[in-house]
């Protein structure tokens, strides 16, 4: 939690995408925020973290890769 806003993380009992961005940057990874649509996620060749709203709460999920339903793994 040293890479985020500690007091806000404790107060909210959660962390934000900005906190996560700061953390991965501190680990040496590149990070950034992007706006896109489902077709943009389908074109990615790596996982993505996607913000969602569910049951009145804001969350984020990791979308590993989007593949056609009939693909062979």
């Amino acid at each position: 939690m040293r890479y985020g806003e500690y007091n806000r993380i404790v107060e909210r009992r959660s962390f934000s995408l900005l906190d996560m961005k700061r953390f991965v940057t501190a680990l040496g990874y590149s990070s950034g925020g992007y706006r896109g649509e489902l077709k943009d996620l389908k074109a990615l060749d790596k996982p993505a973290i996607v913000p969602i709203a569910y049951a009145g709460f804001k969350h984020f999920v990791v979308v590993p890769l989007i593949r056609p339903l009939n693909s062979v793994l």
Side-chain angles (χ1 to χ4, degrees):
M1 290 196 316
R2 65 182 168 176
Y3 301 108
E5 297 176 3
Y6 179 80
N7 292 335
R8 291 199 60 189
I9 293 170
V10 171
E11 178 184 314
R12 294 184 312 238
R13 295 183 3 195
S14 64
F15 56 95
S16 68
L17 286 172
L18 179 58
D19 296 324
M20 188 182 309
K21 179 187 183 310
R22 290 175 177 154
F23 176 67
V24 299
T25 300
L27 293 176
Y29 295 99
S30 63
S31 62
Y34 305 93
R35 288 192 182 269
E37 299 177 7
L38 183 58
K39 66 180 172 72
D40 300 313
L41 282 176
K42 290 178 181 178
L44 289 178
D45 62 348
K46 58 187 90 173
I49 299 171
V50 179
I52 63 169
Y54 178 77
F57 296 96
K58 293 180 180 179
H59 300 279
F60 44 89
V61 297
V62 175
V63 177
L65 289 175
I66 298 178
R67 295 188 174 109
L69 289 175
N70 60 353
S71 65
V72 177
L73 301 177

